[in-house]
């Protein structure tokens, strides 16, 4: 595992990290209606979340997004670690897309208009997987 990102890893790390960090910071002071909406969507996809308080859920989500965004932006965090965090986080978003009714066209993976904002998060899963795979494959060459 390398402890400094390669130069070509910086653009996707910075772009994705800034995007996720901003999202997390924006959720820090979410109002009750926003918390209820985010919690409702997440608990539809992941029923185990139903028992969580919506406001606590959004505070936890905010902290997770801030942590993932910071891990991507800080070059001292190894790409494997930052990529794994990004892949786990975005995997949850893609899982929501696949599980929530009305997000996809009937019988396929193509997003509906309502599903497009979540379906687009597949790019983050690709970046996270790429960072992890590159570190794993380059580690084997040594």
């Amino acid at each position: 595992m390398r402890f400094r990102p390669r130069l070509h890893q910086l653009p996707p790390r910075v772009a994705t990290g800034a995007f996720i960090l901003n999202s997390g910071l924006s959720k820090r002071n979410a109002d009750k209606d926003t918390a209820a909406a985010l919690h409702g969507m997440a608990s539809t996809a992941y029923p185990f979340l139903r028992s969580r308080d919506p406001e606590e859920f959004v505070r936890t989500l905010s902290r997770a997004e801030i942590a993932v965004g910071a891990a991507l932006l800080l070059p001292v965090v190894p790409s494997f670690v930052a990529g794994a965090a990004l892949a786990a986080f975005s995997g949850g978003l893609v899982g929501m897309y696949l599980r929530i009714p009305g997000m996809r066209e009937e019988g396929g993976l193509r997003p509906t208009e309502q599903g497009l904002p979540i379906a687009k998060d597949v790019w983050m899963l690709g970046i996270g997987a790429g960072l992890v795979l590159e570190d794993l494959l380059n580690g084997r060459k040594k």
Side-chain angles (χ1 to χ4, degrees):
M1 180 175 6
R2 292 174 55 106
F3 284 95
R4 288 192 333 210
R6 293 168 180 83
L7 190 58
H8 68 274
Q9 293 173 336
L10 291 178
R13 282 184 68 157
V14 169
T16 309
F19 184 87
I20 295 172
L21 179 63
N22 180 63
S23 180
L25 292 172
S26 298
K27 287 180 180 83
R28 279 188 311 174
N29 300 313
D31 60 29
K32 287 183 185 226
D33 290 338
T34 301
L38 290 170
H39 179 260
M41 192 162 66
S43 62
T44 298
Y46 301 108
F48 69 90
L49 294 173
R50 286 188 184 130
S51 63
R52 300 280 315 264
D53 173 67
E55 291 179 71
E56 180 57 35
F57 168 77
V58 172
R59 279 191 295 275
T60 302
L61 177 61
S62 170
R63 290 181 196 122
E65 288 181 335
I66 291 168
V68 171
L72 287 159
L73 289 169
L74 294 171
V76 296
V77 177
S79 291
F80 180 88
V81 174
L86 177 60
F89 175 74
S90 57
L93 294 173
V94 172
M96 284 179 42
Y97 169 72
L98 294 172
R99 292 179 173 151
I100 296 176
M103 294 285 142
R104 297 177 287 124
E105 290 184 5
E106 193 68 35
L109 291 176
R110 292 185 63 197
T112 61
E113 194 170 314
Q114 295 83 7
L116 194 58
I118 296 176
K120 67 167 181 51
D121 292 336
V122 72
W123 63 271
M124 292 191 299
L125 182 57
I127 291 170
L131 291 170
V132 169
L133 286 173
E134 183 177 14
D135 240 27
L136 287 175
L137 294 174
N138 284 327
R140 290 184 180 165
K141 290 179 186 178
K142 295 178 184 177

